[in-house]
């Protein structure tokens, strides 16, 4: 028999009995509690399948090297310092491009979110810029800005720019109108509205765009290094491809994957830190 429960702010409501389905441990719960082991198991299965394919088909090392050959090549590249040197260059290009693209996209996104006229004027050019593959304009940027780091940072910034811009506009326009009316009734200035309402409300959507930009920035750096560079992981891939050193190509690719995962994880941890207030609010709402 259900009991009646009275709270000062809710009145009376029924307390439903806990069903067995709610106490059942799901696969999602198991994955959340044992995520490191799940990741290690997935990596182990991938390496095992890779080893089986190379053993079964007996591919030459210049076509598909086995995991052991790639690991040995990784150790050699790490020992002679080439992997760390080229990885540091690529990481610096990625970070500078991500910073430049995010800051410029956020500033322009705020202006477009506030002005419909400005959005109508610039949106055709912004959309058209995304229709052009970055690999098609990368040679032009290398010619105009030189084969140094500046062209690589610019390519990273361009590839990061659009997703962060769109998410900034969507986040700012998703702010509820009743909260804006509340801030106006309290005679809040534009800076106060931005600081206490618009930034916290748009932050979850903005960080979603930053997640995408963090991974795309790695692609931008490699594309720029493919076109023209004498350093970086993209240059290392070109060297391995030219010398039929496929194991070196795999080493550079796996390093790029690790870099992208690290940047993505950094944004996720930043999101948890900045949105801790929202998680606490959701938890409090669920307890009511």
């Amino acid at each position: 028999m259900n009991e009646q429960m009275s709270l000062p702010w809710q009145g009376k409501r029924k307390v439903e009995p806990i069903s067995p389905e709610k106490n059942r441990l799901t696969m999602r719960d198991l994955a959340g509690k044992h995520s490191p082991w799940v990741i290690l198991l997935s990596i182990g299965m991938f390496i095992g399948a890779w080893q089986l394919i190379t053993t079964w088909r007996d591919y030459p090392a210049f076509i598909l090297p086995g995991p052991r050959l790639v690991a040995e090549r990784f150790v050699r590249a790490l020992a002679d310092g080439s992997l760390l040197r080229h990885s540091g260059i690529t990481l610096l290009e990625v970070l500078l491009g991500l910073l430049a693209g995010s800051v410029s996209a956020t500033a322009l996104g705020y202006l477009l979110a506030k002005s419909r006229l400005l959005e109508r004027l610039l949106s055709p050019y912004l959309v058209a810029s995304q229709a052009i593959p970055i690999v098609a304009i990368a040679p032009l940027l290398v010619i105009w800005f030189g084969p140094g780091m500046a062209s690589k940072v610019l390519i990273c910034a361009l590839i990061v720019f659009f997703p962060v811009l769109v998410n900034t506009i969507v986040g700012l326009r998703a702010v509820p109108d009743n909260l804006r009316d509340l801030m106006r009734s309290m005679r809040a200035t534009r800076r106060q509205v931005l600081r206490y309402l618009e930034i916290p409300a748009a932050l979850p959507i903005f960080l979603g765009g930053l997640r995408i930009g963090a991974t795309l920035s790695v692609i931008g750096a490699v594309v720029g290094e493919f076109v023209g560079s004498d350093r970086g992981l993209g240059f290392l891939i070109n060297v391995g491809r030219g010398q039929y050193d496929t194991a070196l190509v795999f080493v550079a690719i796996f390093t790029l994957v690790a870099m992208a995962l690290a940047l993505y994880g950094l944004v996720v941890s930043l999101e948890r830190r900045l949105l801790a207030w929202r998680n606490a609010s959701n938890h409090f709402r669920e307890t009511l």
Side-chain angles (χ1 to χ4, degrees), residues 58-81:
D58 195 20
Y59 286 113
F62 70 91
I63 294 180
L64 182 62
R68 182 177 60 83
L69 293 177
V70 174
E72 291 175 354
R73 191 65 181 88
F74 174 80
V75 172
R76 292 205 309 272
L78 202 61
D80 62 21

Side-chain angles (χ1 to χ4, degrees), residues 5 41 115 120 166 201:
M5 181 178 179
L41 178 62
S115 173
R120 293 191 187 97
V166 171

